[in-house]
Each structure stands twice: as C-alpha cells, then as structure tokens.
C-alpha cells in the first residue's frame, strides 16, 4: 500500500497510527456507525458485509494485508455503509480523519498511494462484473472462485487453496445468483473435479 513512500513519510505514517489486534469473528467497525476512522490491514483477512432489510448478511468484498478499509471516512458519508468482520486474527493500523488529513497536507504522496489502492479495488470489482457476465452459472462460479483463490488463497501441492470459509449465500451474491442454485452448482464442480472440498477449505486443482 505504502511501498513507494520515503523514510520520512513512513515514519510520519507510523507516528500518526495506532495499532489494534482483532480475533477471528470480531468486528472492526459496524454498518451505520460513525465513519470516524480508516484502517490499513497489516496482517490477517476480513470481509466487508452489508445487512439487508430482511436481516440477511451479504458479503461485498474480502480484504487482506496491504488493503485499506473504512474508506468512507474520506467521503462526505457520516456512517460506515458496511461492516468489517475478521475471518482470521487481524492486525490493523488506524487513522482518525483529523490525523490523516494532516498527514496528507504534509505528505501528499501518502494521499496518492491511497488513491492507487482505491483504484485497484475498482479494477477488482470490474473483474467481478466480467465474471458475472458468463452465461453458465458453473463457469461464473468457477471464475469467482479462481479470482478469490488468486488474491486470497495460497499454493499447495494439490492446487490453489482457499483457507477461510465462504458460505453458499456469499457465493450467490458474488455470482449474482441464488443460494440453492449455488449449492447445486458446487456439487457439479466437485463431481467434475474442478473444485475439491477438504478439511474446511476449497482447493482448485492445478489440472482443472
């Protein structure tokens, strides 16, 4: 996220931030609470979710080390539009609006790096839209799994592995379909060998 900053900029960034650790299942911030801080993820992984009017929770994005969350602080929004829930033990650096604005005034390169990060998220969302344009749900779902595995998984002897849980309801949102349909399609992917489910993780074999 801040790899192109010089030593002085990095030191100023560290001096302005506070650090916090969160355990798996803990929230960093909750939907509709005041957007008064932004966070840089130093380690771990979390998901951004949104509660619907009927009480369902939809996953909108997954963030990892190097990503920023709480970007609503930079806009005119007064509340977080989503919740941030840790799917792994997570370490973050936090910045209040006032502290971050002072940093950007003194070190414009820091603001530029945030813009770069936000632009990369737009690129990711565009790729997700492209995956949803596939006509067959089997292809759409597999492409979404590949995208998630490449960004958040890791290489094993068997293939790319996704370690954290993804519910069928979350996959339904990511593919623009329904949970029941995703359940049937996941069964098809497993039967065809394109996806392997083992010990609480999904593996995309290299030969698929």
């Amino acid at each position: 996220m801040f790899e192109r900053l010089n030593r002085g900029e990095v030191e100023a960034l560290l001096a302005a931030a506070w650090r916090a650790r969160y355990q798996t299942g803990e929230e960093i911030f909750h939907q509709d609470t005041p957007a008064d801080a932004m966070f840089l993820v130093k380690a771990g992984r979390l998901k951004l979710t949104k509660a619907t009017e009927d009480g369902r929770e939809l996953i909108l994005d997954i963030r990892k080390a190097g990503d920023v969350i709480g970007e609503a602080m930079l806009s005119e929004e007064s509340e977080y539009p989503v919740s941030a829930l840790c799917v792994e033990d997570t370490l973050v650096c936090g910045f209040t609006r006032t502290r971050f604005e002072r940093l950007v005034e003194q070190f414009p390169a820091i603001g530029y790096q945030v813009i770069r990060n936000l632009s990369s998220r737009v690129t990711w969302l565009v790729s997700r839209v492209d995956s949803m344009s596939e006509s067959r749900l089997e292809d759409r779902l597999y492409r979404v799994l590949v995208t998630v595995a490449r960004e958040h998984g890791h290489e094993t002897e068997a293939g790319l592995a996704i370690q954290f849980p993804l519910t069928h309801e979350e996959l339904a949102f990511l593919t623009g379909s329904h949970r029941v349909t995703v359940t049937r399609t996941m069964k098809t992917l497993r039967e065809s060998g394109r996806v392997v489910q083992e010990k609480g993780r999904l593996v995309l074999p290299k030969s698929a």
Side-chain angles (χ1 to χ4, degrees):
M1 173 63 185
F2 298 115
E3 61 183 3
R4 293 177 175 82
L5 301 184
N6 62 40
R7 184 181 182 86
E9 292 162 344
V10 172
E11 290 177 350
L13 195 68
L14 293 174
W18 79 88
R19 293 160 184 76
R21 292 183 182 274
Y22 296 85
Q23 296 182 339
T24 302
E26 279 193 282
E27 278 189 339
I28 296 178
F29 53 79
H30 190 74
Q31 179 180 334
D32 298 331
T33 56
D36 52 8
M38 182 174 69
F39 304 86
L40 170 65
V41 183
K42 293 289 292 178
R45 208 175 311 273
L46 52 89
K47 61 182 179 180
L48 301 182
T49 65
K50 189 171 185 65
T52 62
E53 292 183 358
D54 58 5
R56 292 182 301 131
E57 180 186 80
L58 299 177
I59 180 171
L60 301 181
D61 200 0
I62 300 169
R63 301 288 172 93
K64 65 183 187 308
D67 289 335
V68 167
I69 60 172
E71 303 97 324
M73 184 197 79
L74 301 174
S75 70
E76 297 301 320
E77 298 288 338
S78 58
E79 298 177 337
Y80 292 116
V82 298
S83 298
L85 181 70
C86 298
V87 296
E88 296 176 356
D89 290 352
T90 300
L91 170 66
V92 298
C93 290
F95 305 87
T96 63
R97 184 194 299 269
T98 301
R99 283 188 178 186
F100 193 76
E101 287 177 348
R102 288 175 181 170
L103 270 177
V104 172
E105 288 176 359
Q106 190 174 1
F107 303 98
I110 293 176
Y112 176 67
Q113 287 302 314
V114 170
I115 293 173
R116 286 174 60 92
N117 181 272
L118 297 180
S119 297
S120 71
R121 302 316 303 176
V122 172
T123 301
W124 187 90
L125 289 171
V126 169
S127 71
R128 198 170 84 182
V129 170
D130 289 341
S131 72
M132 292 173 68
S133 66
E134 296 280 358
S135 57
R136 295 175 64 235
L137 178 57
E138 182 178 336
D139 294 331
R140 293 208 311 270
L141 179 56
Y142 183 74
R143 188 167 173 181
V144 164
L145 290 173
V146 168
T147 300
V148 172
R150 285 175 177 169
E151 184 167 354
H152 301 282
H154 66 276
E155 287 278 358
T156 67
E157 291 184 2
L160 277 173
I162 304 173
Q163 292 290 125
F164 55 92
L166 279 173
T167 68
H168 287 188
E169 186 168 22
E170 290 169 343
L171 289 172
F173 177 80
L174 292 172
T175 55
S177 56
H178 299 285
R179 181 182 59 80
V180 175
T181 311
V182 164
T183 300
R184 290 199 299 264
T185 307
M186 281 295 294
K187 181 180 179 181
T188 301
L189 288 174
R190 289 196 300 270
E191 290 175 345
S192 65
R194 300 177 76 184
V195 173
V196 176
Q197 195 158 9
E198 55 177 39
K199 297 180 181 179
R201 69 179 185 177
L202 291 175
V203 178
L204 279 61
K206 295 178 181 179
S207 59

